[in-house]
Amino acid sequence: MRSLVDALPQFVWIARPDGSISYNNQRLIDYLARKVEQMEGAGWLEAVHPDDRERVWEAWQTAQIEQTYEIEHRLRHGSGAYRWMLVRGEPQRDSQGTILYWVGTCTDIEKQKQVEQQLEESKQNLWVLTEMVPQLIWTARADGQTDYCNQRFCDYTGATAEQLSGYGWRQFVHPDDVAHMTIIRGQAFSTGSPYEVEYRLRENKTGRYRWFLVRAMPIRDEAGQLIKWFGTCTDIEEQKHIEDELRQSQERVNALMNSNVIGISVIEAGRMVDANETLLRMTGYTREDLQAGRLNVMQMTAPEYRERTRQAHQELHARRSLTPYEKEYICQDGSRLPVLVGGILLQRPSQAIGFVLDNSARKELEQRKDAFISMASHELRNPLTALKLQATLLRRQMDRQGIQTSLPALASMEHQIDIITRLVDDLLDVSKMQAGKLEYVWETIDLDALLSEIVETMRQTRPDRCILLGGAIGAPLTGDRDRLGQVFTNLLSNAIKYSTAAEPIEVELSASPECATIRVRDHGLGIPREQRDRIFERFYRVVDARRRTIAGLGMGLYIVAEIVKSHGGSITVDSCVGQGSTFTVTLPRCRPAEQG
Ligand code: ADP
């Protein structure tokens, strides 16, 4: 009997009615690497895993009452490692029913336990996956009826898994999308191939529809039989919005590019890589020229504007945008096109968008205006000279005849003639400067003397004003005496015009070996910062409430700046609104090289 029991592939044990072990078969002894004596009493509990011990002891106690024993627990191997066992015990009784002993077996179920555990783990993982992914997940039977929806699907639609099952989920699909979806699904189900379809599903929380991308995969068994569909619904509402916005912005860009108002180009490293039809039409180039890389911004720019263009490119890279500036393009046929050019730098630093407006109409108008000014000032000059002459003759006659009564009227006439003459002279100067035809008479000038003369004349004409003259230049300078006289007279007139009688005007002279510096300072209105550069432009005037009543045509400072420039000098202004302005003229001692 013992030999038979020892040969069994199972562990066999026999226990006394009190629970103490009386026999272990050889296999069990080998497994435990302990003798039966060591298992005496409750010694066997020692070999049970500590975590299972309490549960096993309780089961053994219960077994005494229920007369049967069955439990799974870990049992220690001789090596110290534990393995899961299914332990069973049956009491053996005598004819009176008294338990004589317990016979039991331990079956090694370690493998089975491991498989169970793995299964549990993978079930757990799958559950976590299906519940944690941001998608709505479903499975359907081979006939297309949904048999599982994850919690997210239920939460999103506000329906239970039962309500969604079968075709229940369809009630949440946007009515406009049902037909398309049905076609796609129908095709996939009939061919058994994976499908993708986009449709809107109603969200319970907001009552609104959101776009989803639905993907489904057929699952087949080993025989290739379709057994299930596995599907996901991914929320693509945001993407749809972005796509929409992108499309709209693309439409706007296209509309802009196709407009026939403005020429648009895309420039990369100085080369035009794209341009709209308007720009091509304006410049006479073809799309083939463009594609062949024949449109180079610098080469298309008329030579005298290339330096300005270089500056513009620097500005573009520094500020990412370009203040529009005027220049001329050389068209494909060699003609010139006046243009107004602006631009912005794109995120990709090497690409810029250029905006080009045909400026020829404006330029032509400007030319006509210049021609008119030139003609009008010439035409006015002759009758004015005659008028002045007549007034001088009249004065002499009246003097001779001793007529006193009409003298004030004559003086007033002469004064008005002088004002008009100055205006017309200024206009003439401006148009000559524009045409580059103003001539200079170069001579050696004593600036100290010239300035004291001008200041003295000013003091006489405006005895109400205090004009202070300080410092000295001390050495002669080459220049045009009358023109430089015009510069300082203009600056002093402005200083008087734009300040009040209570405020003195200061003229300061200083010199270095190379140049002479003349400062004209007033304590009047001052000039707003943003307009300081512009006051030297032709016909530019600062217009504000306090200046509205002060007459002028905006020519004075333009003439001043042009004369100073022709002398190789510079003029700057420093000003504080309400506190006054200082104009600083710097003139080189020698005549500028290009003059001579
Ligand atoms: P205008 O005929 O208007 O005086 P200018 O060319 O001499 O023309 O001056 C241009 C503008 O500069 C003027 O409109 C004026 O507002 C401003 N300006 C010139 N000089 C002064 C100054 N000394 N103080 C304040 N503003 C001045």
Side-chain angles (χ1 to χ4, degrees):
M1 184 69 173
R2 281 219 172 167
S3 327
L4 187 72
V5 171
D6 283 341
L8 278 176
Q10 271 171 320
F11 304 132
V12 180
W13 51 268
I14 297 174
R16 298 186 191 92
D18 66 357
S20 60
I21 297 291
S22 63
Y23 168 78
N24 281 347
N25 74 344
Q26 194 53 45
R27 261 177 204 280
L28 188 52
I29 291 168
D30 293 348
Y31 176 85
L32 295 166
R34 296 175 108 204
K35 294 199 187 83
V36 185
E37 300 81 68
Q38 287 173 291
M39 308 296 268
E40 279 291 323
W44 59 274
L45 262 180
E46 262 290 290
V48 174
H49 192 286
D51 292 352
D52 301 338
R53 226 171 260 161
E54 200 179 319
R55 189 166 55 87
V56 168
W57 184 245
E58 270 170 23
W60 183 239
Q61 301 305 313
T62 317
Q64 307 302 309
I65 302 156
E66 290 180 359
Q67 310 275 294
T68 180
Y69 180 62
E70 182 171 330
I71 190 166
E72 288 176 6
H73 67 77
R74 283 159 287 184
L75 196 64
R76 192 172 62 223
H77 184 257
S79 65
Y82 287 91
R83 291 180 73 81
W84 278 96
M85 300 286 165
L86 168 64
V87 184
R88 285 204 179 103
E90 285 294 330
Q92 304 298 312
R93 304 161 205 274
D94 59 13
S95 50
Q96 273 86 47
T98 315
I99 295 178
L100 298 173
Y101 49 86
W102 286 78
V103 177
T105 57
C106 306
T107 314
D108 188 323
I109 53 163
E110 180 66 24
K111 266 231 175 77
Q112 192 184 324
K113 272 277 172 189
Q114 273 175 13
V115 171
E116 261 175 30
Q117 204 173 338
Q118 276 165 7
L119 198 68
E120 190 50 41
E121 270 173 22
S122 84
K123 261 192 189 162
Q124 196 66 25
N125 287 348
L126 189 70
W127 183 84
V128 170
L129 259 174
T130 52
E131 296 304 329
M132 299 311 284
V133 289
Q135 277 112 330
L136 316 184
I137 291 182
W138 52 270
T139 60
R141 297 196 321 236
D143 63 1
Q145 298 224 33
T146 301
D147 58 3
Y148 164 79
C149 286
N150 71 345
Q151 189 55 41
R152 207 172 282 276
F153 208 148
C154 299
D155 294 346
Y156 180 83
T157 52
T160 61
E162 285 83 63
Q163 286 167 330
L164 293 173
S165 65
Y167 295 109
W169 53 274
R170 277 197 186 200
Q171 58 182 300
F172 300 101
V173 178
H174 194 290
D176 293 352
D177 302 337
V178 172
H180 175 65
M181 177 205 70
T182 312
I183 294 171
I184 303 282
R185 268 170 66 96
Q187 281 166 356
F189 286 135
S190 63
T191 57
S193 41
Y195 70 88
E196 256 188 44
V197 61
E198 288 178 8
Y199 52 76
R200 283 161 287 181
L201 280 173
R202 198 175 64 232
E203 186 182 31
N204 177 49
K205 205 168 60 190
T206 58
R208 293 216 190 100
Y209 285 92
R210 293 176 71 84
W211 277 101
F212 281 84
L213 166 67
V214 182
R215 284 200 180 108
M217 283 277 290
I219 315 262
R220 294 168 193 281
D221 64 11
E222 279 148 17
Q225 187 68 30
L226 202 153
I227 47 165
K228 225 174 182 45
W229 286 90
F230 184 83
T232 58
C233 311
T234 311
D235 189 327
I236 53 163
E237 183 70 14
E238 294 299 313
Q239 279 106 301
K240 279 272 175 189
H241 277 304
I242 294 168
E243 269 173 30
D244 251 21
E245 274 167 25
L246 210 67
R247 201 175 35 247
Q248 279 175 22
S249 111
Q250 189 63 45
E251 276 166 15
R252 283 196 292 268
V253 168
N254 288 347
L256 191 69
M257 282 295 261
N258 296 333
S259 81
N260 55 5
V261 182
I262 191 163
I264 301 172
S265 59
V266 180
I267 297 150
E268 204 171 290
R271 210 167 53 82
M272 241 180 235
V273 291
D274 197 8
N276 67 349
E277 288 304 318
T278 311
L279 185 66
L280 295 176
R281 195 169 7 91
M282 263 157 59
T283 54
Y285 286 99
T286 61
R287 200 149 282 282
E288 289 72 57
D289 291 327
L290 177 80
Q291 276 151 6
R294 283 195 283 273
L295 270 64
N296 179 292
V297 177
M298 269 309 172
Q299 281 163 16
M300 282 172 73
T301 301
E304 66 271 30
Y305 292 101
R306 287 191 185 148
E307 185 48 41
R308 176 68 185 90
T309 305
R310 260 187 281 278
Q311 286 170 11
H313 287 178
Q314 280 170 5
E315 183 196 332
L316 182 65
H317 284 276
R319 296 211 207 145
R320 307 196 70 82
S321 71
L322 187 60
T323 320
Y325 69 103
E326 290 180 351
K327 67 173 181 180
E328 282 182 12
Y329 273 151
I330 299 177
C331 301
Q332 202 272 336
D333 62 2
S335 63
R336 284 173 169 239
L337 176 75
V339 285
L340 180 71
V341 178
I344 47 162
L345 203 65
L346 290 187
Q347 283 302 330
R348 275 176 60 192
S350 55
Q351 268 202 352
I353 305 279
F355 305 102
V356 183
L357 263 181
D358 184 337
N359 213 14
S360 42
R362 206 187 117 194
K363 280 282 155 188
E364 201 196 308
L365 200 69
E366 246 174 50
Q367 271 163 12
R368 285 221 300 268
K369 190 181 72 190
D370 288 347
F372 172 78
I373 290 171
S374 164
M375 194 188 64
S377 44
H378 273 103
E379 291 300 314
L380 284 170
R381 195 71 176 83
N382 295 338
L384 260 180
T385 318
L387 214 61
K388 181 129 180 114
L389 193 74
Q390 294 299 327
T392 317
L393 288 178
L394 195 62
R395 176 176 284 280
R396 268 193 222 141
Q397 236 173 33
M398 280 162 69
D399 274 352
R400 246 185 278 127
Q401 292 170 5
I403 303 170
Q404 297 289 319
T405 45
S406 304
L407 274 180
L410 182 62
S412 160
M413 254 172 69
E414 282 174 323
H415 178 64
Q416 294 304 327
I417 291 171
D418 282 346
I419 292 176
I420 301 175
T421 310
R422 263 204 308 278
L423 271 177
V424 172
D425 283 349
D426 276 359
L427 268 176
L428 263 176
D429 285 349
V430 167
S431 52
K432 279 187 199 156
M433 281 168 178
Q434 265 303 104
K437 286 186 186 149
L438 193 75
E439 289 186 353
Y440 291 89
V441 181
W442 299 98
E443 58 185 313
T444 306
I445 322 166
D446 179 352
L447 259 192
D448 291 324
L450 177 66
L451 275 148
S452 36
E453 211 176 283
I454 292 168
V455 168
E456 201 40 54
T457 314
M458 277 287 175
R459 279 176 186 153
Q460 277 167 20
T461 42
R462 294 301 301 266
D464 57 322
R465 301 304 304 254
C466 165
I467 307 171
L468 307 169
L469 177 65
I473 288 159
L477 182 140
T478 311
D480 183 317
R481 195 172 195 283
D482 290 345
R483 292 295 174 195
L484 286 181
Q486 206 177 345
V487 166
F488 301 114
T489 307
N490 264 340
L491 290 179
L492 272 171
S493 304
N494 275 351
I496 290 171
K497 207 156 83 166
Y498 297 106
S499 65
T500 61
E503 297 153 340
I505 289 152
E506 294 135 33
V507 181
E508 270 171 35
L509 311 179
S510 60
S512 74
E514 296 82 32
C515 55
T517 303
I518 303 95
R519 281 199 179 81
V520 179
R521 176 177 299 127
D522 65 60
H523 300 278
L525 296 178
I527 303 154
R529 179 176 295 278
E530 63 283 2
Q531 305 199 46
R532 268 173 225 166
D533 288 338
R534 302 208 60 191
I535 55 172
F536 298 104
E537 287 173 16
R538 193 165 56 128
F539 305 130
Y540 188 85
R541 304 203 69 216
V542 179
V543 186
D544 58 28
R546 286 184 304 168
R547 276 171 241 244
R548 205 153 287 151
T549 52
I550 306 174
L553 290 177
M555 291 186 288
L557 286 181
Y558 171 74
I559 296 172
V560 165
E562 284 296 311
I563 297 174
V564 171
K565 202 160 78 188
S566 299
H567 279 75
S570 65
I571 179 162
T572 55
V573 61
D574 196 12
S575 181
C576 191
V577 174
Q579 290 182 27
S581 319
T582 304
F583 285 85
T584 305
V585 176
T586 310
L587 296 167
R589 284 187 184 281
C590 302
R591 190 172 158 183
E594 67 263 30
Q595 305 290 342

